Every structure is written in C-alpha cells, then in structure tokens.
Amino acid sequence: MPYIKIKLSNNGKKAFRLLMDELKISMSQAQKIIDKKRLFCDGKLVEEKNQFLNGLVELITYENNPKGLEVVFENDDFAVVEKPSGILTHPNGRNCIYSICDEIWHLWGEKACVAHRLDKETSGLLLIAKHKNTQIELKTMFEKRLIQKKYIALVKGKTKKEFAVDKKMDLAKNYDTIKTRMQICENGKEALTQFHTLEYFENLDASLVLAKPLTGRQHQIRLHLFHVKHKILGDPLYGLEKTQIEQILDGKMSELERIQITGAKRLLLHSFSLEFTYKNQKFLIQSQKNIKDDFISDIGNQKCIKNII
C-alpha cells in the first residue's frame, strides 16, 4: 500500500471541515486524520483541527495495490481469507508498500478490517470484519475466548502424541531494538497451549503438530514450543543470535543461509481453523491448503534440519 500525497481544493475552510466536505467523512474521522499527522498546508503539518487553511492543501493517503487473495468463506458480515506468509496483516508505516489491507479494502471497502492479526510470516486463515459493528462484536468474542483457533506447525524433533504447555509469558526486556519478543516468566500473563502430534518425519527428525492456544498471547505457540525444545522450523526470532535476527528481518540473509540456520525459508506456522458461533449460527472454517506439502517445500535442503538448535 504505497502512501501518496493528493491535493485537496481549498477555499479557506477550517481543517476538519475541509476534510469532511472533500472526503465525505464524519467529523471524528476528519479529526483522526489530523491527529495522525496526514494533513499539510503549504508543506507544513496541520496540527490544529480548527486551523483555517489558505494555500496548497495536501493529504497523505494510500493507494490500494491488490495482488489477489483467496477468500475461503464470506457472508454479509464477515469473510475468512488465506493470508500468505511474508505479508503484513496491517500496514506498519509509510514505508509499507503492501499488506492484507490492500486486499480487503479493494474487495469490501475501507470500512472492512481484520478482526485479529497474524504475524507477518504466519500463513493461514484470517477473519475479516466487513462493518464496524461486526468488528466490535468479533473483537469482543476474541477477548472472551469465544473464537477457537487451531494452528499447524512443523517443529524440530519428535514430539509426544499429546502434550500441553502451561507457562506464563510477558515481553522480553532484551532485543527490544530489533523486534518485540516474549519470554517465559513467573510474573507474566497466563498462557496455555494444547498440542497434538499429527505426523513424525524420521528422515527430517521433525514433527507436524496441531496447536490449540487457549489464551491469546503474542508469539504464544512459538515461545511455548521453543521452551519445550521443539522450535518451529524457520523461526526468525527464538533461539538465534542478535546479529542473525537483524540479518533476517532486514532481508540481508540469503534464503539458503536462513534454511541452514533455522530449518526453513519461512516460519512454518499456519492458521488452520476458526470455530465460533455468530448470530446463533455455528461456524467451523478450515484452511484448504495442503500445508504439509507446502511446509516440506519450504524446508529446502532437508539435511539441514538435524543441525537446528
């Protein structure tokens, strides 16, 4: 989603009124644009909502850049899409040229928004609210844990058939200049994940597991598996040196080197299913991707896996 500057007509109106009239938006929406520092007059940032604008008025906005997205399910209130790995759920700044929002705003307009988030490298099902009321309702359902999510991951080593990790977690104090990371700590927030082994690949010494997070902490599945010595293959954060993390996040590490260090060219974690009741109707939506084959293809040189931490 490239950010661009567009010119607005100017007849000496107040900043918020000009935006309301030009963009056909509400006062609160106009004020929010000004608060986000997106309005300029003669090259100077407009910070006062009641400022009279006389001169060249420009607005920083964005152009949708859709590339195509697989829609798994859709009704009048929400949709479920397959998010590819390597794409941000939401634009993270003016340097972001593409995100899932490019797709959903192209398909359903700017009132549509994601109801939850997936990490950039996590693929799979993403729930989209088409309207503000739906967004509020779905967000409340997530907060009350009324939406059950399941993930599939390919991890290092042979896992038990059934196991659970019940370990509190919180923000890590180190690596904060690189990227947000979590840590296991006694004073953290409750975090519980149940796991079920689907298949063990002896030639890879790797297990395909189904993960059911019963709480919704950031990086919960990744950290819990790393804690029990079954790191998700391709993880660019946990178990790596600071310089390695920087190289991966900055795109300065080759695909082959990343495979050698982490076991895969991407994080092998996939949002597999969403289950919930909405307006008295039960929904069980599952990914149609052949994720096992996708994971295997992302491993590259399979011999590298046995040397992963």
Side-chain angles (χ1 to χ4, degrees):
M1 179 185 303
Y3 284 83
I4 60 172
K5 271 188 178 181
I6 61 172
K7 294 179 182 179
L8 301 180
S9 64
N10 179 27
N11 57 4
K13 294 181 179 180
K14 291 182 178 181
F16 77 88
R17 174 54 64 183
L18 176 64
L19 289 173
M20 290 174 65
D21 293 346
E22 286 287 303
L23 305 179
K24 310 301 181 186
I25 59 176
S26 66
M27 181 184 293
S28 63
Q29 289 173 313
Q31 291 173 336
K32 186 177 295 185
I33 287 174
I34 297 171
D35 288 338
K36 288 183 177 181
K37 305 183 185 302
R38 289 170 50 190
L39 188 64
F40 293 80
C41 184
D42 287 335
K44 295 181 180 180
L45 179 67
V46 176
E47 299 185 80
E48 297 296 330
K49 300 174 180 65
N50 290 318
Q51 178 182 333
F52 285 95
L53 303 182
N54 292 291
L56 175 62
V57 179
E58 295 176 300
L59 174 67
I60 293 179
T61 185
Y62 39 74
E63 284 185 319
N64 286 346
N65 182 28
K67 300 178 181 179
L69 191 68
E70 181 179 347
V71 179
V72 178
F73 177 86
E74 180 181 2
N75 62 19
D76 291 339
D77 293 324
F78 64 85
V80 178
V81 301
E82 287 274 8
K83 174 191 169 301
S85 174
I87 298 176
L88 288 167
T89 301
H90 196 275
N92 64 349
R94 293 176 187 171
N95 292 325
C96 177
I97 61 173
Y98 176 71
S99 74
I100 290 296
C101 288
D102 283 83
E103 303 292 348
I104 66 174
W105 290 339
H106 172 72
L107 289 170
W108 302 295
E110 291 186 22
K111 291 185 178 180
C113 61
V114 294
H116 62 119
R117 293 196 180 195
L118 295 176
D119 289 339
K120 179 179 179 181
E121 292 202 356
T122 302
S123 59
L125 300 185
L126 188 65
L127 185 58
I128 309 298
K130 291 188 176 181
H131 317 287
K132 186 65 176 180
N133 290 340
T134 307
Q135 177 198 6
I136 295 172
E137 187 167 353
L138 292 176
K139 182 179 179 181
T140 301
M141 290 170 65
F142 274 110
E143 291 173 348
K144 293 183 177 181
R145 303 175 189 174
L146 298 177
I147 298 180
Q148 184 180 102
K149 298 180 289 183
K150 292 181 181 179
Y151 295 76
I152 292 178
L154 188 62
V155 307
K156 168 67 178 171
K158 185 174 184 178
T159 54
K160 298 177 181 178
K161 188 64 176 177
E162 307 278 350
F163 63 105
V165 180
D166 185 0
K167 290 291 181 180
K168 296 179 180 179
M169 52 192 293
D170 207 342
L171 284 171
K173 304 302 180 183
N174 57 349
Y175 293 95
D176 57 336
T177 58
I178 305 177
K179 188 175 175 64
T180 300
R181 301 209 318 159
M182 307 298 288
Q183 64 181 352
I184 301 294
C185 55
E186 293 183 1
N187 297 323
K189 297 179 181 179
E190 298 287 345
L192 173 61
T193 314
Q194 296 176 340
F195 297 95
H196 171 77
T197 301
L198 301 173
E199 189 172 352
Y200 173 65
F201 303 97
E202 187 172 358
N203 62 317
L204 304 175
D205 188 27
S207 300
L208 193 69
V209 299
L210 182 70
K212 180 182 176 182
L214 300 184
T215 49
R217 310 301 175 205
Q218 186 175 12
H219 294 181
Q220 178 174 321
I221 298 172
R222 296 164 66 175
L223 184 59
H224 274 176
L225 285 166
F226 178 70
H227 179 72
V228 296
K229 312 301 182 185
H230 292 297
K231 176 181 175 177
I232 299 179
L233 298 179
D235 195 319
L237 291 178
Y238 297 98
L240 300 184
E241 299 292 334
K242 183 175 181 178
T243 54
Q244 294 173 324
I245 297 173
E246 289 177 324
Q247 288 177 337
I248 292 175
L249 296 181
D250 293 340
K252 296 180 179 179
M253 181 179 290
S254 70
E255 185 177 283
L256 178 58
E257 186 178 1
R258 178 169 177 179
I259 292 173
Q260 292 172 337
I261 292 174
T262 69
K265 64 182 182 182
R266 55 153 287 202
L267 177 71
L268 300 189
L269 179 64
H270 185 81
S271 173
F272 173 71
S273 73
L274 296 168
E275 186 173 2
F276 54 93
T277 298
Y278 181 82
K279 292 185 176 180
N280 297 318
Q281 183 177 353
K282 292 184 178 180
F283 293 91
L284 173 58
I285 303 168
Q286 295 182 326
S287 173
Q288 301 303 303
K289 295 289 186 182
N290 188 340
I291 195 59
K292 182 175 76 170
D293 287 352
D294 288 350
F295 281 173
I296 296 299
S297 68
D298 287 330
I299 288 173
N301 185 354
Q302 299 177 0
K303 294 180 180 179
C304 295
I305 295 180
K306 296 186 178 181
N307 299 320
I308 302 303
I309 297 174

